[in-house]
Amino acid sequence: MITAIYPGSFDPVTYGHIDIAERALRIADRVIIGVLNNSEKTPLFSTEERVKMLQDTVGKKYPDIKIESFSGLTVDFAKEMGANLIIRGLRAVTDYEYELQMAQINYKLYPELETTFLMSNIKYSFLSSSIVKEVAKYGGDISHFVPSVVEQKLREKL
Ligand code: ADP
């Protein structure tokens, strides 16, 4: 039985994240999205808002995907959820170094937990939450990047 966590900031969720979450369901029996409540980053959206946007998009489409928030170490969240796999998305080579470091550290901390990477869908390989926020800030069209509920929340916020 594979229980996977898909951790991240999701500030806010984009179609790139949704694509990875959908594909995670093909690999794992259970998928739990973990929304990181990280005091070192100052997200645009609160943890509750980020969870709600995920519930309204991924959660509505895939009721089997659980959405939780967590703080602290990803490995501790994985243990709490009884997970044996971390799923992360890889876009360009620029993601690789950081992701490799995180995967190796997590392996040291908790060797029973594997990390696997799903290559970004080519449609979304340029897409990040930061770019979406930047485009939204200057009034650009973000309808191809995020679901309409997220678009609306961004418009309200900015
Ligand atoms: P973090 O702050 O942990 O990097 P993000 O919310 O930016 O969190 O991303 C969560 C995960 O989703 C990461 O593994 C990231 O590489 C992946 N991801 C983000 N955007 C995309 C995308 N467009 N395509 C594929 N994976 C993505």
Side-chain angles (χ1 to χ4, degrees), residues 36-53:
L36 182 60
N37 180 4
N38 186 346
S39 54
E40 274 143 49
K41 279 191 183 175
T42 31
L44 178 65
F45 292 100
S46 70
T47 309
E48 294 70 32
E49 287 172 317
R50 287 179 278 144
V51 167
K52 176 84 170 55
M53 283 185 276

Side-chain angles (χ1 to χ4, degrees), residues 6-10 16-17 20 41 88-91 95 99 120 124 127:
Y6 174 31
S9 309
F10 306 101
H17 295 127
I20 297 290
K41 279 191 183 175
R88 295 279 290 176
L90 268 189
R91 281 158 295 188
D95 277 343
E99 293 294 341
S120 173
Y124 308 125
L127 188 53

